[in-house]
């Protein structure tokens, strides 16, 4: 039985999509079967994995709004064992279209739960909001990874996110847990980065991953080539960081 993990933070630019793509690729490199679900209307995870979003016939939007069979939206990637359900800009309006849907918070859960028998891990890349699609992702998930950038205002909004997780756990998804807080964009030379690292560790203790994602040029460049960093530069520090993160998650979930 597979595990569904949502990558969530309503702050933009904290590394959600980078984490989603590269964690998925790294889990597949450890010979796990992985499905990456792009739930962000910007579809950056889709294009970053080499999907031409302008040519996608069936996206997550069609599954949510038109009740298309989710299997019709699964595309393969260049990495063995890694599939993707791409997003589409139409997803922007999906939350309004879903208002009339019965049990609308569980649409994604009904769609993805049957796939847990087919994949070891299902990773959901969420948009930078706490809207209905993100609520759907949290309701469908077993756990949550919260990326926290090592920059000023890093912890701003975290209490709001934790409160949302608490509400969803109590009302919609009692099994939801925090997989971990992931420190991203870390530069050990910066005093601020080290202060934030210490602060996050002090606040959340054992919930913080041992692995830290360091600032890395190759990691930033890879998506423009439609590749996870693992395929773009196998020796990059970003590759090593995400492989370490994947290993940490696999060990934790044994």
């Amino acid at each position: 039985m597979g595990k569904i993990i949502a990558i969530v933070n309503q702050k933009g630019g904290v590394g959600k999509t980078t984490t989603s793509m590269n964690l998925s690729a790294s889990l597949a490199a450890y010979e796990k079967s992985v499905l990456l679900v792009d739930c962000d209307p910007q579809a950056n995870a889709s294009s970053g994995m080499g999907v031409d979003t302008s040519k996608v016939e069936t996206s997550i939007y069609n599954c949510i709004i038109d009740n298309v069979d989710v299997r019709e939206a699964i595309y393969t990637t260049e990495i063995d064992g890694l599939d993707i359900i791409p997003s589409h800009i139409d997803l922007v309006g999906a939350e309004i279209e879903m208002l009339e849907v019965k049990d609308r918070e569980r649409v994604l859960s009904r769609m993805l739960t049957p796939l847990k028998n087919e994949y070891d891990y299902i990773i959901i890349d969420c948009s930078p909001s706490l809207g209905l699609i993100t609520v759907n992702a949290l309701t469908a998930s077993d756990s949550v990874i919260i990326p926290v950038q090592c920059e000023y205002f890093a912890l701003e909004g975290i209490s709001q996110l934790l409160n949302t997780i608490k509400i969803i756990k109590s009302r919609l998804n009692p099994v939801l847990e925090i997989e971990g807080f992931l420190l991203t964009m870390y530069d050990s030379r910066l005093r601020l980065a080290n202060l934030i690292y210490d602060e996050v560790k002090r606040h959340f203790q054992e919930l913080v991953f041992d692995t830290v994602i360091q600032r890395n040029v190759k990691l930033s460049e890879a998506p423009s080539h439609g590749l996870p960093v693992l395929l773009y530069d196998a020796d990059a520090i970003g590759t090593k960081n995400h492989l370490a993160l994947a290993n940490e998650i696999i060990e934790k979930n044994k």
Side-chain angles (χ1 to χ4, degrees):
M1 192 73 162
K3 183 170 194 178
I4 303 179
I5 303 175
I7 317 281
V8 182
N9 190 329
Q10 76 270 32
K11 263 176 74 82
V14 299
K16 283 186 296 296
T17 299
T18 301
T19 302
S20 303
M21 285 173 50
N22 292 294
L23 172 59
S24 298
S26 298
L27 286 166
Y30 280 110
E31 299 185 348
K32 301 294 179 185
S33 55
V34 185
L35 176 65
L36 173 58
V37 183
D38 190 351
C39 281
D40 186 344
Q42 295 176 81
N44 290 336
S46 305
S47 57
M49 294 302 294
V51 175
D52 184 345
T53 51
S54 66
K55 292 180 180 170
V56 166
E57 290 181 14
T58 311
S59 70
I60 191 74
Y61 171 83
N62 303 109
C63 300
I64 291 171
I65 301 302
D66 304 326
N67 294 315
V68 172
D69 183 348
V70 68
R71 284 174 179 79
E72 290 183 30
I74 297 174
Y75 294 74
T76 56
T77 71
E78 285 188 40
I79 294 181
D80 284 345
L82 174 56
D83 294 339
I84 184 168
I85 297 178
S87 186
H88 193 275
I89 190 64
D90 287 350
L91 200 61
V92 166
E95 301 197 348
I96 295 166
E97 294 178 71
M98 289 170 77
L99 291 176
E100 302 299 316
V101 176
K102 185 175 181 290
D103 211 9
R104 59 182 181 264
E105 298 86 3
R106 299 184 194 276
V107 174
L108 213 52
S109 180
R110 289 194 293 270
M111 190 191 307
L112 297 179
T113 301
L115 297 176
K116 288 172 78 171
N117 295 320
E118 299 169 33
Y119 293 94
D120 296 313
Y121 291 95
I122 297 174
I123 306 292
I124 307 176
D125 182 30
C126 297
S127 65
S129 78
L130 292 178
L132 187 53
I133 300 288
T134 300
V135 167
N136 259 268
L138 292 171
T139 305
S141 296
D142 299 297
S143 67
V144 180
I145 291 174
I146 302 170
V148 180
Q149 67 187 125
C150 292
E151 293 182 359
Y152 201 58
F153 295 134
L155 296 176
E156 195 179 62
I158 293 282
S159 59
Q160 186 187 354
L161 173 57
L162 293 177
N163 193 45
T164 301
I165 291 169
K166 191 173 163 188
I167 291 166
I168 286 168
K169 192 175 166 72
S170 65
R171 297 183 191 171
L172 293 164
N173 183 6
V175 304
L176 186 64
E177 299 292 341
I178 293 174
E179 189 78 24
F181 289 84
L182 176 67
L183 287 150
T184 63
M185 306 177 195
Y186 177 71
D187 185 340
S188 59
R189 298 168 300 179
L190 299 179
R191 183 166 166 266
L192 179 62
N194 290 301
L195 284 173
I196 287 163
Y197 177 86
D198 292 340
E199 192 175 353
V200 173
K201 273 282 196 187
R202 191 178 75 248
H203 268 284
F204 304 113
Q205 296 164 1
E206 74 281 354
L207 283 176
V208 183
F209 285 110
D210 293 333
T211 305
V212 172
I213 308 300
Q214 293 164 265
R215 278 201 178 277
N216 179 233
V217 173
K218 299 288 186 186
L219 192 57
S220 305
E221 289 175 355
S224 65
H225 296 269
L227 295 169
V229 71
L230 185 72
L231 291 186
Y232 181 61
D233 185 346
D235 295 321
I237 192 71
T239 301
K240 291 168 183 169
N241 289 164
H242 285 95
L243 284 169
L245 175 64
N247 186 57
E248 194 174 340
I249 288 169
I250 291 165
E251 290 298 317
K252 188 177 176 182
N253 287 289
K254 273 185 174 173

